[in-house]
Amino acid sequence: MTAPGPRPDHQTVLSDHQPAQRGLIRSMGVPTLIFFGLAYMVPMTVFTTYGIVNEVTGGFLASAYAITLAAMLFTACSYAFLGRRIRTAGSAYAYAREGLGGGAGFLTGWTVMIDYVLLPMLNYLLIGLYLSERFPQIPAWVFSMVALVLVTALNIIGITVVKSANVVLVVLQVVFFLVFFVFASRAFDPDTGPLDPFLRSDFSLPAVVAGSAVLCLSFLGFDAISTMAEEAKRPTRSIPIAVILTTVIGGFFFIAISWFAHMTSPDVVTGDGADVAALSMLGRLGGEVLTALFLAAYVTGALGSALASQASVARILYAMGRDGVLPTRVFGALSERFRTPVGAILVVAVVSISAVFADVDFVASIVSFGALTAFSVVNVSVVSVFLVKEKQRGVRAILTYGVIPTIGFLLTVWLWTSLAPHTVLLGIGWIVLGLLYLLWTTRAFRRPVPRMHLE
């Protein structure tokens, strides 16, 4: 652990060509990072939330995704600005530490950590539920545990295996989308206009924003990309590009699928039927063939998301363990053979075992809270780093590092306030728990918050 105090600029921005000799292996270029982010986002998740968000928004799923994409693009720009400057692993944790100090960095890492810990669990749970629906003679927990073991093994072996698997899993989802578009284009409702998915006389902005808040977890892929900075080739170039492109590509798929789905099935399903509305819609479009293809693509997509999310949270825990805010022997060490944070990976796997008992709605709502909180902090960090600390001035600097992150912050806070009250209370409770842990670790801030090793 380095001594507390100001960090020289040359320690913050290192050469893109400097090899990580004792650390993680640099093997990820822009295309690989994009596939990693898309695998994390799971474009197929649009069908998971299809019925639920349609019910919340009154049939304006496409509008909800458009609002979410707009908010996420501003935040993605903030990630890109900081990604050009900071090349260490740690996601929003490292960005908040750089912009707002060690205490804020820890609390941001603590908040986003619950997202990454819960996301693998959520994917294992969904894999079990969907496969058990197809093969009812096998309990859901069996499928969940098999997926957990497989994903954990792949992450321990190394990121080279993970990135290869991500390409296959994303391609399978894209193939399904193309098949879906073909089926849907032949079954448009003649009474539905092309703008109806976005705007009609019964449009309600509060309801659409409430749906948008739920959909924010779908865009965690660009935060996951930033956790791979120490395994990226030329990170100060590749990370920003991959963050922006992943957000745009993912948002395009979400909106396009929502639009096609509404054009074929404009009626909103409510009540218990909302949970399976996507399956009903797909069954009407393509029968057993399209439904079976959907199941295969969805399960592989969830597997890819689990693969990417477990890799990301392991690197966040690794960064925090390397800092000394978590036990270094468990979280801050790399495997001598695979050069991966095995201890952190195994801890996430143990936590994910509770997928056997978890509730999908509860886990998804907490993930949305953590995502929006982290996004808000990153937007504030841009202003702090470039306008306050570096004192950059001029119209271009004000627009780039002042206006854009401020709009991103306001949009994410707007979505944050649209979450259910019990979700906000639980999320705040988690943050308070993290603050208490930080107070204990620093002995009420009489000791400095450990700083990050940059190697």
Side-chain angles (χ1 to χ4, degrees):
M1 181 170 61
T2 58
R7 182 167 50 197
D9 287 343
H10 73 274
Q11 286 183 295
T12 302
V13 185
L14 302 181
S15 168
D16 280 338
H17 304 287
Q18 179 180 333
Q21 296 177 348
R22 292 175 295 166
L24 302 166
I25 301 172
R26 297 196 180 279
S27 61
M28 304 182 76
V30 172
T32 306
L33 288 167
I34 292 174
F35 275 109
F36 180 86
L38 290 175
Y40 195 99
M41 292 171 78
V42 192
M44 292 291 294
T45 194
V46 64
F47 293 103
T48 305
T49 55
Y50 169 77
I52 298 171
V53 178
N54 255 325
E55 183 178 21
V56 171
T57 61
F60 290 98
L61 178 61
S63 289
Y65 268 119
I67 290 175
T68 307
L69 175 60
M72 294 302 100
L73 275 175
F74 283 100
T75 300
C77 287
S78 291
Y79 271 84
F81 298 151
L82 291 169
R84 287 203 305 259
R85 189 180 191 280
I86 304 169
R87 69 191 294 272
T88 184
S91 172
Y93 167 54
Y95 296 163
R97 172 181 289 279
E98 183 71 16
L100 304 174
F106 172 83
L107 290 177
T108 302
W110 179 271
T111 304
V112 79
M113 181 173 62
I114 195 173
D115 281 8
Y116 287 113
V117 170
L118 291 180
L119 270 172
M121 180 196 306
L122 180 61
N123 283 293
Y124 299 138
L125 174 62
L126 291 170
I127 288 170
L129 290 175
Y130 274 91
L131 289 179
S132 180
E133 181 72 19
R134 188 69 175 178
F135 306 101
Q137 66 274 21
I138 301 177
W141 68 266
V142 174
F143 292 114
S144 296
M145 291 303 100
V146 170
L148 186 153
V149 172
L150 175 62
V151 167
T152 301
L154 287 174
N155 270 304
I156 289 175
I157 290 172
I159 200 65
T160 302
V161 175
V162 173
K163 71 180 183 181
S164 301
N166 285 334
V167 173
V168 175
L169 296 173
V170 171
V171 168
L172 286 175
Q173 293 180 76
V174 172
V175 169
F176 173 80
F177 295 152
L178 296 176
V179 173
F180 169 74
F181 291 150
V182 171
F183 275 94
S185 63
R186 298 174 178 175
F188 280 2
D189 188 311
D191 297 325
T192 302
L195 295 180
D196 286 356
F198 298 102
L199 190 63
R200 302 186 303 274
S201 59
D202 58 338
F203 181 88
S204 170
L205 184 59
V208 173
V209 173
S212 297
V214 176
L215 298 175
C216 284
L217 63 88
S218 300
F219 287 86
L220 266 172
F222 63 74
D223 186 82
I225 290 173
S226 70
T227 69
M228 294 295 151
E230 291 187 33
E231 288 159 280
K233 302 173 183 176
R234 301 182 64 189
T236 57
R237 176 183 178 275
S238 58
I239 293 292
I241 294 174
V243 163
I244 298 295
L245 289 180
T246 299
T247 304
V248 172
I249 294 170
F252 168 78
F253 275 119
F254 292 144
I255 295 173
I257 294 165
S258 302
W259 186 85
F260 273 90
H262 185 91
M263 293 299 293
T264 62
S265 304
D267 295 333
V268 178
V269 179
T270 59
D272 294 337
D275 292 338
V276 293
L279 288 176
S280 301
M281 180 266 294
L282 292 170
R284 288 194 301 272
L285 287 180
E288 284 294 323
V289 173
L290 189 59
T291 303
L293 182 59
F294 161 75
L295 181 63
Y298 184 86
V299 170
T300 54
L303 192 65
S305 179
L307 197 62
S309 56
Q310 188 169 6
S312 293
V313 70
R315 279 141 186 85
I316 290 175
L317 295 173
Y318 166 66
M320 296 178 75
R322 195 174 52 181
D323 260 9
V325 293
L326 292 177
T328 301
R329 286 191 176 183
V330 177
F331 297 100
L334 295 176
S335 162
E336 290 294 331
R337 179 177 179 183
F338 299 113
R339 308 306 299 167
T340 53
V342 175
I345 291 171
L346 292 177
V347 168
V348 177
V350 170
V351 173
S352 296
I353 292 175
S354 60
V356 176
F357 315 103
D359 177 79
V360 173
D361 293 339
F362 171 77
V363 175
S365 63
I366 295 299
V367 170
S368 293
F369 174 90
L372 287 169
T373 303
F375 295 161
S376 299
V377 172
V378 170
N379 283 309
V380 174
S381 297
V382 172
V383 177
S384 177
V385 168
F386 294 101
L387 298 186
V388 178
K389 290 189 173 182
E390 296 186 355
K391 294 182 171 57
Q392 294 197 26
R393 296 294 182 264
V395 175
R396 182 177 180 180
I398 296 299
L399 290 175
T400 303
Y401 304 126
V403 175
I404 290 177
T406 298
I407 294 175
F409 173 78
L410 293 175
L411 288 173
T412 52
V413 170
W414 182 36
L415 295 174
W416 190 85
T417 58
S418 299
L419 291 170
H422 71 274
T423 299
V424 175
L425 290 175
L426 287 171
I428 292 175
W430 174 255
I431 294 174
V432 170
L433 185 62
L435 178 60
L436 293 175
Y437 179 75
L438 180 61
L439 289 172
W440 177 79
T441 301
T442 61
R443 300 301 186 266
F445 294 106
R446 288 192 294 270
R447 297 178 182 178
V449 178
R451 300 186 68 88
M452 188 169 282
H453 296 283
L454 298 177
E455 301 180 9

